[in-house]
Amino acid sequence: MAVNTKTQVVYRKPEAKDGARVWELIGDTGTLDLNSAYCYILLGDYFNDTCMIAEQDDKIVGFISAFRSPRNPETLFVWQVAVASSHRRQGIAKAMLTGLMNDKACHGVRFIETTVSPSNKASRRLFLGFAEEKSIPSTVTVGYGAEMFPGGTSHEEEPLFVIGPFFNDI
Ligand SMILES: CC(=O)NCC[C@H](N)C(=O)O
């Protein structure tokens, strides 16, 4: 049966050349910290083993960035999860996180760490739902307090979510 690939969301690792469009996606979400375009180019170049892009009809509609902690490589720190407003509630964030965890780059990961601000309900659902679905322990502790952010800005606190231990022996 012919599959209409025009409507399928495809998932792939980012490349440096995707940086500008990822920067646009993050800016469009209006909920995440917009890093420099250079940062997203760098992620696509040096950290792309643990990042993923969701693309539909040649439009970047999702992005997840992560890296294995240099001080504890068994921990995967998930930095940002973004889905275009036009593509929410379609399971794209869960597909990106699951795809990332199933990648050989995440072999041996035993903990996922991430920070999720109180207003980021979608990411809260994503990570706690991931833990619950896989019966993995999860804790939410003090992460980065609002006071750590520059004076005069209205940045929310960033509680630390720790999911694990689990065995990711893909
Ligand atoms: C999981 C996630 O997207 N966290 C966001 C952390 C922070 N507010 C940022 O946007 O980088």
Side-chain angles (χ1 to χ4, degrees):
M1 176 183 79
V3 175
N4 174 1
T5 54
K6 284 300 283 176
T7 58
Q8 270 186 332
V9 176
V10 294
Y11 298 88
R12 65 173 173 85
K13 293 194 190 270
E15 299 173 48
K17 65 181 175 57
D18 296 309
R21 291 195 295 156
V22 170
W23 179 82
E24 287 170 5
L25 169 72
I26 302 295
D28 288 347
T29 63
T31 56
L32 297 176
D33 291 279
L34 181 60
N35 300 296
S36 66
Y38 181 83
C39 174
Y40 296 109
I41 292 168
L42 208 63
L43 283 167
D45 206 2
Y46 288 86
F47 296 86
N48 68 341
D49 275 348
T50 51
C51 296
M52 191 170 288
I53 271 179
E55 207 164 25
Q56 186 178 51
D57 301 333
D58 296 327
K59 177 174 183 280
I60 292 179
V61 297
F63 176 70
I64 185 169
S65 55
F67 56 86
R68 295 185 77 149
S69 167
R71 66 168 177 262
N72 179 5
E74 289 185 338
T75 294
L76 182 78
F77 183 81
V78 179
W79 185 349
Q80 292 187 315
V81 180
V83 178
S85 54
S86 56
H87 286 69
R88 288 188 185 148
R89 306 194 75 82
Q90 297 178 25
I92 291 175
K94 182 177 179 181
M96 292 193 296
L97 180 61
T98 305
L100 193 53
M101 293 313 298
N102 290 335
D103 189 286
K104 64 183 184 311
C106 290
H107 175 77
V109 166
R110 297 187 65 234
F111 292 88
I112 292 172
E113 292 187 2
T114 188
T115 67
V116 179
S117 295
S119 64
N120 192 343
K121 308 283 187 206
S123 278
R124 182 181 179 85
R125 278 196 306 273
L126 170 69
F127 289 102
L128 295 184
F130 178 88
E132 188 177 345
E133 190 175 298
K134 297 180 181 298
S135 303
I136 301 170
S138 62
T139 57
V140 180
T141 60
V142 175
Y144 305 132
E147 75 286 350
M148 294 180 74
F149 295 89
T153 62
S154 57
H155 199 293
E156 286 185 281
E157 62 173 344
E158 291 274 358
L160 177 66
F161 287 49
V162 180
I163 296 168
F166 59 95
F167 294 96
N168 198 48
D169 298 335
I170 29 105

